[in-house]
Amino acid sequence: MKKFLLALVLISFGAGAIAAVENPMEAMFKTWYGVKIKKVVKYWGQPTDIEYDQSQKKYKWLEHSTRYIPGTQYQKRVACERVLIVDVSGRVVFGKYNGTGCPFTTEGVKQWINPEF
């Protein structure tokens, strides 16, 4: 019984450690929190769209690409939208993403990480 409980505890800690691994896109956004949006635009280029709200702005970058489906000769169009929320002082306060073409590895988001972080 003790061995069973010990195994259960170890599995629980292991599952918690796996869940604690941060998504590379979310980690990338955090490198920009508190930074002026002008600096982001310097590295990312002009946004595709800007939405205005009373107390904040949403800066959006949309990228389309084509990926080959493994084991076939077929291609699939995918997109990734990155959104930065900026407060009235012009500083990034939050980031989010959407789409099937967003990178899911640290190497994939390397191009968007704040080089001054």
Side-chain angles (χ1 to χ4, degrees):
M1 182 69 171
K2 287 182 182 180
K3 288 181 181 181
F4 175 74
L5 289 174
L6 179 60
L8 187 60
V9 168
L10 291 175
I11 290 170
S12 296
F13 281 122
I18 291 169
V21 173
E22 189 169 32
N23 177 300
M25 288 291 288
E26 292 169 8
M28 175 274 299
F29 284 128
K30 287 182 180 179
T31 69
W32 293 104
Y33 291 173
V35 175
K36 290 274 192 181
I37 191 64
K38 288 181 180 182
K39 188 170 282 189
V40 178
V41 172
K42 175 183 172 185
Y43 290 105
W44 287 10
Q46 290 296 317
T48 308
D49 188 31
I50 302 173
E51 288 182 13
Y52 298 91
D53 196 352
Q54 292 178 1
S55 61
Q56 63 187 19
K57 294 179 185 176
K58 291 181 183 179
Y59 288 77
K60 299 179 179 184
W61 287 263
L62 180 62
E63 294 186 10
H64 295 276
S65 62
T66 303
R67 292 189 180 158
Y68 283 95
I69 300 172
T72 72
Q73 60 184 4
Y74 300 105
Q75 300 177 21
K76 179 180 180 181
R77 294 268 303 154
V78 294
C80 181
E81 180 182 57
R82 292 166 297 172
V83 179
L84 291 177
I85 310 296
V86 178
D87 66 11
V88 292
S89 70
R91 294 189 183 276
V92 177
V93 294
F94 188 70
K96 60 184 181 176
Y97 66 96
N98 186 31
T100 58
C102 296
F104 52 88
T105 65
T106 304
E107 186 65 30
V109 300
K110 189 185 233 181
Q111 63 187 346
W112 299 322
I113 293 175
N114 183 349
E116 298 175 15
F117 185 71

